[in-house]
mmCIF file of all heavy atoms in Angstrom:
data_model
loop_
_atom_site.group_PDB
_atom_site.id
_atom_site.type_symbol
_atom_site.label_atom_id
_atom_site.label_comp_id
_atom_site.label_asym_id
_atom_site.label_seq_id
_atom_site.Cartn_x
_atom_site.Cartn_y
_atom_site.Cartn_z
ATOM 1 N N LYS A 210 -20.939 -62.802 -49.706
ATOM 2 C CA LYS A 210 -22.290 -62.856 -50.295
ATOM 3 C C LYS A 210 -22.285 -62.338 -51.732
ATOM 4 O O LYS A 210 -21.375 -61.630 -52.150
ATOM 5 C CB LYS A 210 -23.247 -62.014 -49.441
ATOM 6 C CG LYS A 210 -23.392 -62.550 -48.025
ATOM 7 C CD LYS A 210 -24.747 -63.156 -47.817
ATOM 8 C CE LYS A 210 -24.736 -64.006 -46.571
ATOM 9 N NZ LYS A 210 -25.963 -63.993 -45.847
ATOM 10 N N THR A 211 -23.338 -62.677 -52.456
ATOM 11 C CA THR A 211 -23.426 -62.263 -53.862
ATOM 12 C C THR A 211 -23.843 -60.794 -53.982
ATOM 13 O O THR A 211 -24.349 -60.195 -53.025
ATOM 14 C CB THR A 211 -24.492 -63.104 -54.592
ATOM 15 O OG1 THR A 211 -25.750 -62.834 -53.945
ATOM 16 C CG2 THR A 211 -24.181 -64.588 -54.529
ATOM 17 N N LEU A 212 -23.662 -60.274 -55.200
ATOM 18 C CA LEU A 212 -24.115 -58.903 -55.458
ATOM 19 C C LEU A 212 -25.617 -58.797 -55.205
ATOM 20 O O LEU A 212 -26.102 -57.800 -54.681
ATOM 21 C CB LEU A 212 -23.813 -58.520 -56.903
ATOM 22 C CG LEU A 212 -22.355 -58.184 -57.215
ATOM 23 C CD1 LEU A 212 -22.184 -58.020 -58.722
ATOM 24 C CD2 LEU A 212 -21.908 -56.923 -56.491
ATOM 25 N N PHE A 213 -26.344 -59.829 -55.582
ATOM 26 C CA PHE A 213 -27.794 -59.822 -55.392
ATOM 27 C C PHE A 213 -28.133 -59.607 -53.911
ATOM 28 O O PHE A 213 -28.932 -58.746 -53.554
ATOM 29 C CB PHE A 213 -28.395 -61.138 -55.899
ATOM 30 C CG PHE A 213 -29.883 -61.207 -55.760
ATOM 31 C CD1 PHE A 213 -30.705 -60.360 -56.486
ATOM 32 C CD2 PHE A 213 -30.468 -62.121 -54.891
ATOM 33 C CE1 PHE A 213 -32.093 -60.412 -56.360
ATOM 34 C CE2 PHE A 213 -31.857 -62.178 -54.753
ATOM 35 C CZ PHE A 213 -32.663 -61.325 -55.489
ATOM 36 N N ASN A 214 -27.476 -60.375 -53.058
ATOM 37 C CA ASN A 214 -27.705 -60.234 -51.618
ATOM 38 C C ASN A 214 -27.321 -58.859 -51.112
ATOM 39 O O ASN A 214 -28.085 -58.198 -50.417
ATOM 40 C CB ASN A 214 -26.826 -61.240 -50.869
ATOM 41 C CG ASN A 214 -27.608 -62.477 -50.504
ATOM 42 O OD1 ASN A 214 -28.643 -62.360 -49.872
ATOM 43 N ND2 ASN A 214 -27.136 -63.619 -50.931
ATOM 44 N N ASN A 215 -26.116 -58.433 -51.461
ATOM 45 C CA ASN A 215 -25.605 -57.175 -50.910
ATOM 46 C C ASN A 215 -26.352 -55.955 -51.452
ATOM 47 O O ASN A 215 -26.631 -55.011 -50.710
ATOM 48 C CB ASN A 215 -24.110 -57.041 -51.185
ATOM 49 C CG ASN A 215 -23.283 -57.898 -50.220
ATOM 50 O OD1 ASN A 215 -23.772 -58.264 -49.146
ATOM 51 N ND2 ASN A 215 -22.059 -58.213 -50.596
ATOM 52 N N LEU A 216 -26.683 -56.004 -52.735
ATOM 53 C CA LEU A 216 -27.332 -54.817 -53.319
ATOM 54 C C LEU A 216 -28.811 -54.722 -52.964
ATOM 55 O O LEU A 216 -29.429 -53.672 -53.142
ATOM 56 C CB LEU A 216 -27.136 -54.793 -54.837
ATOM 57 C CG LEU A 216 -25.713 -54.419 -55.274
ATOM 58 C CD1 LEU A 216 -25.578 -54.506 -56.794
ATOM 59 C CD2 LEU A 216 -25.334 -53.017 -54.796
ATOM 60 N N SER A 217 -29.375 -55.820 -52.420
ATOM 61 C CA SER A 217 -30.791 -55.698 -52.054
ATOM 62 C C SER A 217 -30.991 -54.797 -50.831
ATOM 63 O O SER A 217 -32.123 -54.477 -50.483
ATOM 64 C CB SER A 217 -31.482 -57.055 -51.930
ATOM 65 O OG SER A 217 -30.637 -57.976 -51.354
ATOM 66 N N SER A 218 -29.890 -54.347 -50.223
ATOM 67 C CA SER A 218 -30.064 -53.335 -49.165
ATOM 68 C C SER A 218 -30.338 -51.955 -49.780
ATOM 69 O O SER A 218 -30.853 -51.061 -49.115
ATOM 70 C CB SER A 218 -28.814 -53.276 -48.272
ATOM 71 O OG SER A 218 -27.708 -52.803 -49.019
ATOM 72 N N LEU A 219 -29.997 -51.776 -51.056
ATOM 73 C CA LEU A 219 -30.207 -50.466 -51.715
ATOM 74 C C LEU A 219 -31.322 -50.481 -52.752
ATOM 75 O O LEU A 219 -31.943 -49.461 -53.004
ATOM 76 C CB LEU A 219 -28.909 -50.009 -52.415
ATOM 77 C CG LEU A 219 -27.693 -49.632 -51.579
ATOM 78 C CD1 LEU A 219 -26.557 -49.199 -52.501
ATOM 79 C CD2 LEU A 219 -28.022 -48.503 -50.610
ATOM 80 N N TYR A 220 -31.537 -51.643 -53.400
ATOM 81 C CA TYR A 220 -32.529 -51.724 -54.484
ATOM 82 C C TYR A 220 -33.452 -52.915 -54.234
ATOM 83 O O TYR A 220 -33.042 -53.888 -53.596
ATOM 84 C CB TYR A 220 -31.828 -51.923 -55.838
ATOM 85 C CG TYR A 220 -30.797 -50.859 -56.136
ATOM 86 C CD1 TYR A 220 -29.454 -51.069 -55.812
ATOM 87 C CD2 TYR A 220 -31.155 -49.655 -56.732
ATOM 88 C CE1 TYR A 220 -28.494 -50.090 -56.062
ATOM 89 C CE2 TYR A 220 -30.202 -48.675 -56.988
ATOM 90 C CZ TYR A 220 -28.873 -48.899 -56.653
ATOM 91 O OH TYR A 220 -27.935 -47.936 -56.900
ATOM 92 N N SER A 221 -34.681 -52.826 -54.771
ATOM 93 C CA SER A 221 -35.611 -53.940 -54.571
ATOM 94 C C SER A 221 -35.118 -55.163 -55.360
ATOM 95 O O SER A 221 -34.434 -55.017 -56.385
ATOM 96 C CB SER A 221 -37.011 -53.551 -55.038
ATOM 97 O OG SER A 221 -37.032 -53.489 -56.448
ATOM 98 N N LYS A 222 -35.495 -56.336 -54.890
ATOM 99 C CA LYS A 222 -35.082 -57.578 -55.563
ATOM 100 C C LYS A 222 -35.642 -57.609 -56.979
ATOM 101 O O LYS A 222 -34.991 -58.096 -57.909
ATOM 102 C CB LYS A 222 -35.556 -58.792 -54.767
ATOM 103 C CG LYS A 222 -34.827 -58.846 -53.427
ATOM 104 C CD LYS A 222 -34.978 -60.156 -52.704
ATOM 105 C CE LYS A 222 -33.884 -60.252 -51.673
ATOM 106 N NZ LYS A 222 -34.229 -60.686 -50.369
#
Side-chain angles (χ1 to χ4, degrees):
K210 297 251 164 145
T211 62
L212 284 172
F213 181 66
N214 262 305
N215 282 339
L216 286 176
S217 38
S218 66
L219 292 181
Y220 305 94
S221 72
K222 294 193 161 134

